[in-house]
Amino acid sequence: MAMNTQKVLVGGLAAGVVLNVIDFITNTYILGDRMAAEMNAVAPGLADKMMTGGMIATYVIMDFVIGILLVWLYAAIRPRFGPGPKTAVYGGLFVWVVFGLAYLGYLFSGMMSGATWVMASVIALINVLLASWLGARIYTEEGAASVM
């Protein structure tokens, strides 16, 4: 069965909204001050450079792209694992592991403490699983009913 591209985009945009909202809350209220202090300890002024209007727009766009990729991955693995939340979790876990490994650079370079990295990773896991679940819930294929 062919992938429903329109549903990948719609589900991906919905997943992107989830990612953006949770990232905003995390980076503004939960970890923002802590991460800014840790970045500025490494390179004074770095936190300010990372929060310019252009950078914020980049983060927002990246979350929408990640949301679309999450739903695309769900649609791609769905024939093997079946439709439903379990498959959405598999896709979400895969994306979380890949990004978690990529963000290890912040930890190893000293831009982020181990405690901050763990907190950010746990929040990211929750975020990506919620986004993946919502995107997968929206995604359907022609002639197939949603199982969620």
Side-chain angles (χ1 to χ4, degrees), residues 24-114:
F24 173 78
I25 293 167
T26 301
N27 295 322
T28 302
Y29 302 108
I30 300 172
L31 294 176
D33 291 340
R34 180 183 189 121
M35 289 170 52
E38 290 180 9
M39 283 189 277
N40 286 332
V42 173
L46 180 60
D48 290 335
K49 289 179 185 177
M50 295 192 69
M51 294 308 292
T52 64
M55 287 304 298
I56 291 170
T58 300
Y59 302 141
V60 169
I61 292 167
M62 283 179 13
D63 274 350
F64 282 114
V65 170
I66 293 167
I68 292 167
L69 290 174
L70 271 170
V71 179
W72 178 86
L73 179 60
Y74 169 78
I77 66 175
R78 184 178 168 185
R80 178 167 299 274
F81 296 105
K86 183 176 174 183
T87 301
V89 167
Y90 290 156
L93 285 173
F94 178 82
V95 169
W96 178 71
V97 167
V98 169
F99 280 97
L101 291 174
Y103 282 109
L104 277 173
Y106 289 138
L107 177 64
F108 295 148
S109 68
M111 286 178 53
M112 186 180 280
S113 68

